[in-house]
Amino acid sequence: MANNFGSTNGKLLAQMVLSNMIALPVFSKISTNFSGLHNGQRAKFNQDVDVRLISAGTVEDYSAGYAAADSTDTNATVTIDKHKHISRNLTVEEAFSRDGIVLAGYAALDANALANKVLLDLCGLVVNPGVPTATQQTVVAVGAFGHDSVVDVNVALDGRDVPDIGRFGVLNSLYHGALRKDSTIIANNINNGSDAVSSGIITNVDGVEYMKYSKLPDNSENLTGFVGTQDSLALATMLPDIANLPDAIDIPMSGKMSVATDPSGLSVLVVEEVDLKDGVVYTSIRLMYGVGLGLAGNIQKIASA
């Protein structure tokens, strides 16, 4: 009997992987280039890619016309230097005994793990001297962290004329938990748009959406969180070169490759293969990416006392 594993199933699996990756809020909060292009050409591994940073325009006085000023947008240069994958071997029974539920479950978990690895690398950039500790850090003990502390962080950003549009926050588990215990934030449905008591999600505190990241590194400087803007961090991604092989060479492959692309442009590659002799199903999620600082002055670090 012919085995068609990897056709329709592969597309669905790739889309499921992508859906679970893009669900991580930070990907929609920062500056990105998901095209893998540099100056119109497809970049290679270890090459640089420009990520456009969106900046506010300049308000001018009317003077006999409405002449437009040149855009002040800048680019962050990001090197595509990370090639990550999560690969599994499953028996045919494990993969298909419950109508693909097992594969779907692994896809969700593995996609989340891959997305969190990207976030770990992004958070690793929030460190001195790139983000200066002396001028861009708020120190507060976890027991004192709450609504007032969030306001203090915003005031620090305001003092540097950082736009309040699009601010987002990332906190480790202890500090995010402190927000969820603050009655000012969760009582009487003050935190609109989310039932923080049942969901554990803090959607908006003083204009900032805070997400929990349990693996936030302390970066050897007691980092417990940070607040940034869309142009503060940059992420560039591309598909591994193997995703383009079917268009470049005419050599039979033993497996199936499926690509899913989000409307944002983010694409992931899923490779699948069935070993009929040993009864093993191989699945692999693959992504190449790079991270970089954008306008680092738009970041305020939060550190433990």
Side-chain angles (χ1 to χ4, degrees):
M1 179 177 179
N3 192 307
N4 64 355
F5 174 69
S7 54
T8 303
N9 189 70
K11 288 290 186 183
L12 292 175
L13 191 62
Q15 189 61 52
M16 185 175 299
V17 167
L18 181 64
S19 297
N20 280 277
M21 281 196 65
I22 205 68
L24 207 62
V26 73
F27 288 147
S28 63
K29 302 293 186 182
I30 63 175
S31 295
T32 56
N33 178 349
F34 295 145
S35 69
L37 299 179
H38 181 65
N39 293 331
Q41 301 294 319
R42 187 178 186 276
K44 297 292 186 181
F45 188 67
N46 275 331
Q47 287 187 339
D48 292 341
V49 171
D50 287 336
V51 179
R52 189 175 185 182
L53 307 176
I54 305 299
S55 303
T58 302
V59 178
E60 305 281 359
D61 288 326
Y62 174 81
S63 178
Y66 301 93
D70 291 338
S71 173
T72 58
D73 292 348
T74 57
N75 293 328
T77 300
V78 173
T79 303
I80 304 287
D81 58 357
K82 305 181 192 308
H83 190 170
K84 304 295 183 182
H85 71 98
I86 298 181
S87 303
R88 290 182 181 272
N89 280 327
L90 302 172
T91 66
V92 171
E93 290 78 11
E94 289 173 332
F96 299 110
S97 61
R98 291 187 287 161
D99 298 324
I101 294 177
V102 173
L103 275 180
Y106 281 133
L109 290 172
D110 290 348
N112 183 262
L114 183 56
N116 274 280
K117 182 63 179 76
V118 176
L119 181 54
L120 180 67
D121 289 327
L122 281 165
C123 293
L125 300 172
V126 185
V127 64
N128 191 68
V131 183
T133 297
T135 56
Q136 293 180 220
Q137 179 169 279
T138 299
V139 178
V140 56
V142 64
F145 189 72
H147 180 264
D148 290 351
S149 306
V150 170
V151 172
D152 290 341
V153 170
N154 269 340
V155 169
L157 290 168
D158 294 342
R160 298 198 298 274
D161 293 326
V162 176
D164 54 7
I165 297 175
R167 289 184 187 179
F168 69 93
V170 179
L171 296 171
N172 69 14
S173 297
L174 287 175
Y175 277 64
H176 195 272
L179 282 189
R180 301 199 308 273
K181 293 178 181 179
D182 188 332
S183 60
T184 303
I185 293 171
I186 65 172
N188 301 319
N189 296 318
I190 292 174
N191 189 247
N192 294 321
S194 172
D195 184 353
V197 174
S198 61
S199 70
I201 297 173
I202 303 293
T203 56
N204 192 310
V205 183
D206 201 43
V208 178
E209 180 179 349
Y210 281 89
M211 66 168 288
K212 178 180 69 175
Y213 182 43
S214 60
K215 295 183 179 180
L216 180 78
D218 70 359
N219 292 345
S220 299
E221 54 183 41
N222 297 324
L223 184 72
T224 59
F226 64 92
V227 173
T229 59
Q230 184 176 12
D231 50 8
S232 61
L233 293 171
L235 168 67
T237 69
M238 62 184 293
L239 292 172
D241 289 337
I242 194 173
N244 299 308
L245 285 183
D247 297 327
I249 60 175
D250 186 22
I251 300 176
M253 294 185 298
S254 60
K256 174 69 177 181
M257 295 191 296
S258 302
V259 174
T261 302
D262 184 77
S264 67
L266 177 63
S267 297
V268 293
L269 173 67
V270 174
V271 178
E272 304 161 286
E273 182 180 359
V274 177
D275 186 327
L276 297 179
K277 179 180 179 181
D278 294 331
V280 173
V281 177
Y282 168 82
T283 64
S284 181
I285 305 170
R286 304 176 185 180
L287 180 70
M288 290 164 50
Y289 67 93
V291 297
L293 284 173
L295 300 183
N298 288 3
I299 297 175
Q300 183 72 11
K301 297 188 289 190
I302 302 168
S304 59

